[in-house]
Amino acid sequence: MNMKTISVIQKVMLMLCALFVVSACSYDDEEIWNKVNEHEERISALEDWQKQVNSNITALQELLNTQDYITKVSPLMENGVEIGYSIHFAKSDSIALYHGTKGADGADGYVPAISVKRDTDGIYYWTLDGDWLTDSEGHKIKAEGTDGKDGADGEDGKDGQDGEDGKDGHNGSNGHNGTDGRDGITPKLKIEEGTWYVSYDKGRTWEKLGVAIIEEGGESTSCTCTCPITDVDVQDEKVVFTLDSGDEFEVPYYETSSELIITFAETTIELEAGGTAELTYTLSYNENVKVSAIGEGVRTEINDGKLIITATSENFEGGKVLVHATDGEKVATVELTITKMVITYIEYTATEEIIPSYNTFGGEGIRFLKDKSTFEDGKGKWAYKGVPTYIQDEGLSGITTLKSIILPESITDIGRNVENYPEADAGGAAFKNCSSLESITIKGNLATLRHNTFNGCSSLKNITLPESLTLIQYNAFQACSSLESITIPDKVTTIGEAAFSFCTSLKTIILGVSVASIEFHAFNECKAIESITCKNPTPAELGTEVFPKDYSGFGEESYTYIIYVPKDSKSTYDKAWDWVKNKYSWMTDNITIVEQE
């Protein structure tokens, strides 16, 4: 209800209160409430008309700009009365086109009539009450989008006059290309504060048109608000729309047939960006049947009984293809949905091409694409349809030609045993004994590094562990004899039994701030160790013989390294890690705990 309606009701209610004060006699308020109800009905009728006219404006522009064709025109019914048309398209959503309806008006009321008219340039422009609608610069507002035409080429220059070795004149320069035509704009109407407004910029700004309801005391009348389209004529191969300006325009019309049928084995096709799909179709009969296709987001071609679909855009995200078959009288259509095929590439280097087994990488709908995988000059890519989320247990173990690999971010589990997942000790050994593996990057949201994952990777020098990691299981890096340094991410809480044992080249160890438990022999036999940096001010609980000790007193090897701990935590570490100052004084003289500055 608008503000003027509220104002009228308020005044009526004040008069009613006054009557109560002046007299206790009974009164008949039927006339008052009739006026109130009549006012509300008029406002509601105007609002309904506003919705219908906006629908007609939108529908009119869609009809003028459509590259689709109509398959059905049916009446639009309300309470058993035809109120318009429902226009159905082959590939687009249907639209509603309303007849003229009666709306409330009054002596001072006004109902705008928005329509289109074709100008001398052949283009349709919007009109308001029969006059051209113009923008702030005075340009007529188009109802259809058209491209500007290219400028004509300049004429060739005239030949030079004959003379001694005369030369031809220079060619004239080409004319400039015409500027692109402006897109069609859809006006939009609204009623606010009893006034009509129109917008030409999708509702960002509004222009006042005129009073939509009568002032208080005016007499109510009714008028017929006409539709811009006055007639819809369905013919054999077209639907002719007649405008209130007298202009006509046509949209192709085809009625589907039960006799002529075109079918495809699949109606949902996966296609990668830049990829091509070749589909064979079947017709119920082939004689004199012409097949064509319209692509949305893809390019289409009919060749020798096959439909060829190509995704030409690098930003391809899917599309649709409408296939149309006709013998001149009957028509059949099929709509195909084109979805984007997701392909994940996993980069690796190796001394020779590696073809992983079918289940090395797993995930929903994952499939190895051998024809899209490549290998050249020691660099390879494995192509997988879909998104791999895990590596199967022992998936790449024992491949001695693998030198490096970059795992995609989608990988969240390395060494999963599908049957027993997610049991803690199931699976593992994904890269076990890959003796030539030198480098690996793990990007994914990996929480657990399963047991024996890199056990025996004797050439492994560089590894990037993800920040998401919380647990390193037993033997994970055992016998990685070329590994020189390791940084344990800050979320890791537990380093498992013998996780880094026999990493004989390991010099530098950085333990993350959350490490709370380091189990039996975790860094045992790390003979080259030079420093251990502990970021956690609370010492981790150690299992037996976690770090190498100085057994020189018994004729064993001697170790010398420094354990760096956070500031003000040395005494805590001295007490918790008392093996550094063991009761056998000759054993640990060269291992010290030092506070970081």
Side-chain angles (χ1 to χ4, degrees):
M1 185 179 296
N2 69 27
M3 293 182 66
K4 289 192 176 181
T5 303
I6 294 172
S7 176
V8 171
I9 294 174
Q10 287 174 337
K11 290 180 180 179
V12 170
M13 294 306 295
L14 287 172
M15 292 171 62
L16 186 60
C17 290
L19 288 172
F20 271 115
V21 174
V22 173
S23 174
C25 297
S26 62
Y27 65 95
D28 185 358
D29 62 355
E30 181 178 356
E31 182 178 356
I32 294 174
W33 289 114
N34 284 343
K35 288 183 178 180
V36 171
N37 292 333
E38 178 187 346
H39 202 81
E40 289 181 342
E41 289 173 2
R42 290 172 55 239
I43 295 298
S44 178
L46 278 171
E47 290 172 344
D48 288 344
W49 183 85
Q50 171 198 330
K51 293 176 184 177
Q52 289 187 0
V53 76
N54 280 330
S55 174
N56 283 348
I57 292 170
T58 302
L60 179 55
Q61 188 178 59
E62 288 185 21
L63 287 167
L64 287 171
N65 287 281
T66 187
Q67 295 181 351
D68 204 346
Y69 59 83
I70 295 171
T71 58
K72 184 180 180 182
V73 178
S74 57
L76 194 62
M77 308 296 291
E78 185 178 278
N79 299 323
V81 178
E82 181 182 306
I83 61 170
Y85 301 100
S86 182
I87 313 293
H88 302 266
F89 296 92
K91 66 174 183 176
S92 307
D93 294 335
S94 60
I95 60 175
L97 193 64
Y98 294 92
H99 295 324
T101 57
K102 289 188 176 182
D105 194 12
D108 300 318
Y110 162 65
V111 180
I114 290 186
S115 185
V116 296
K117 187 165 59 176
R118 185 162 44 198
D119 202 1
T120 54
D121 57 5
I123 297 174
Y124 285 97
Y125 296 88
W126 291 107
T127 62
L128 174 62
D129 298 333
D131 296 324
W132 301 115
L133 274 174
T134 57
D135 60 20
S136 58
E137 297 177 355
H139 298 118
K140 294 191 294 292
I141 298 175
K142 287 184 179 180
E144 56 179 322
T146 53
D147 290 335
K149 297 180 180 179
D150 290 341
D153 289 342
E155 297 181 356
D156 290 342
K158 297 180 179 180
D159 291 342
Q161 295 180 350
D162 289 339
E164 200 172 314
D165 295 326
K167 297 180 180 179
D168 290 340
H170 295 291
N171 289 334
S173 58
N174 291 334
H176 296 292
N177 290 335
T179 56
D180 287 340
R182 300 185 179 187
D183 292 336
I185 295 174
T186 306
K188 187 176 182 180
L189 289 170
K190 73 173 181 179
I191 301 172
E192 191 173 282
E193 298 291 328
T195 301
W196 286 109
Y197 290 86
V198 64
S199 174
Y200 311 127
D201 54 10
K202 299 181 180 180
R204 287 190 292 271
T205 60
W206 294 87
E207 181 179 317
K208 188 175 181 179
L209 291 181
V211 177
I213 60 174
I214 61 172
E215 299 292 341
E216 182 184 350
E219 294 184 2
S220 175
T221 60
S222 63
C223 71
T224 299
C225 307
T226 58
C227 175
I229 295 177
T230 59
D231 186 52
V232 179
D233 184 15
V234 181
Q235 301 180 11
D236 289 340
E237 295 183 359
K238 61 185 177 182
V239 179
V240 180
F241 296 90
T242 303
L243 298 167
D244 53 7
S245 64
D247 293 327
E248 293 182 348
F249 66 92
E250 302 172 355
V251 179
Y253 174 75
Y254 296 106
E255 193 169 11
T256 56
S257 168
S258 60
E259 298 176 18
L260 177 57
I261 300 172
I262 182 169
T263 56
F264 289 83
E266 296 180 8
T267 55
T268 299
I269 312 299
E270 285 188 315
L271 198 60
E272 64 174 316
T276 297
E278 191 173 280
L279 310 177
T280 301
Y281 54 82
T282 303
L283 294 165
S284 55
Y285 60 88
N286 290 309
E287 187 175 355
N288 297 324
V289 176
K290 182 180 179 181
V291 179
S292 59
I294 300 173
E296 180 182 302
V298 293
R299 190 179 66 215
T300 61
E301 178 185 355
I302 301 293
N303 190 355
D304 195 23
K306 294 180 180 179
L307 169 63
I308 302 169
I309 306 171
T310 305
T312 56
S313 172
E314 294 180 357
N315 300 319
F316 172 70
E317 292 294 334
K320 292 183 178 181
V321 173
L322 181 68
V323 184
H324 172 260
T326 181
D327 61 0
E329 295 181 359
K330 305 177 185 67
V331 173
T333 62
V334 174
E335 184 176 272
L336 306 178
T337 300
I338 315 300
T339 61
K340 181 181 180 179
M341 178 189 290
V342 177
I343 296 182
T344 303
Y345 292 96
I346 301 173
E347 298 181 23
Y348 71 97
T349 64
T351 56
E352 61 183 44
E353 184 176 14
I354 299 170
I355 305 298
S357 63
Y358 75 95
N359 64 347
T360 296
F361 290 87
E364 185 176 354
I366 196 76
R367 179 164 58 88
F368 179 59
L369 302 175
K370 185 177 180 180
D371 61 324
K372 295 187 180 300
S373 300
T374 60
F375 186 82
E376 186 176 357
D377 295 332
K379 297 180 180 179
K381 283 185 179 181
W382 294 321
Y384 280 87
K385 173 192 168 185
V387 180
T389 57
Y390 65 89
I391 301 176
Q392 182 77 288
D393 57 329
E394 301 185 13
L396 293 166
S397 65
I399 299 179
T400 58
T401 57
L402 181 64
K403 296 184 68 176
S404 71
I405 187 169
I406 300 174
L407 298 180
E409 293 184 8
S410 59
I411 298 291
T412 58
D413 196 345
I414 298 175
R416 177 189 293 189
N417 182 294
V418 178
E419 293 181 0
N420 296 313
Y421 175 78
E423 292 182 15
D425 289 334
F431 293 90
K432 185 177 181 180
N433 293 328
C434 289
S435 56
S436 296
L437 182 64
E438 298 175 354
S439 174
I440 183 167
T441 299
I442 304 171
K443 297 181 177 180
N445 189 27
L446 186 73
T448 299
L449 195 66
R450 293 183 181 273
H451 63 84
N452 290 298
T453 297
F454 298 103
N455 191 343
C457 294
S458 56
S459 298
L460 186 62
K461 295 180 180 179
N462 300 302
I463 180 164
T464 301
L465 296 174
E467 292 301 318
S468 57
L469 197 65
T470 61
L471 171 64
I472 299 174
Q473 289 189 340
Y474 63 89
N475 297 350
F477 291 92
Q478 189 177 51
C480 291
S481 54
S482 296
L483 190 65
E484 295 185 357
S485 66
I486 189 69
T487 298
I488 306 300
D490 282 339
K491 291 184 180 179
V492 171
T493 60
T494 302
I495 300 174
E497 180 179 317
F500 293 90
S501 65
F502 292 93
C503 291
T504 54
S505 297
L506 188 60
K507 297 178 181 180
T508 305
I509 301 168
I510 299 177
L511 301 176
V513 72
S514 300
V515 173
S517 175
I518 307 176
E519 297 180 353
F520 171 78
H521 273 199
F523 292 92
N524 191 36
E525 295 296 330
C526 294
K527 297 179 180 181
I529 191 167
E530 294 178 355
S531 69
I532 301 170
T533 299
C534 303
K535 296 167 68 175
N536 192 343
T538 302
E541 183 178 343
L542 303 182
T544 305
E545 297 180 356
V546 168
F547 299 106
K549 295 181 181 180
D550 187 346
Y551 292 106
S552 57
F554 297 98
E556 299 291 340
E557 295 180 0
S558 177
Y559 301 100
T560 301
Y561 56 89
I562 300 174
I563 301 173
Y564 293 99
V565 299
K567 189 176 181 180
D568 299 328
S569 62
K570 182 180 185 303
S571 60
T572 307
Y573 271 86
D574 281 338
K575 185 176 180 180
W577 291 9
D578 60 351
W579 56 272
V580 176
K581 296 295 182 184
N582 196 281
K583 61 182 178 180
Y584 301 109
S585 60
W586 64 83
M587 291 178 61
T588 55
D589 289 344
N590 296 322
I591 302 173
T592 58
I593 295 176
V594 176
E595 284 189 0
Q596 300 174 77
E597 295 183 0

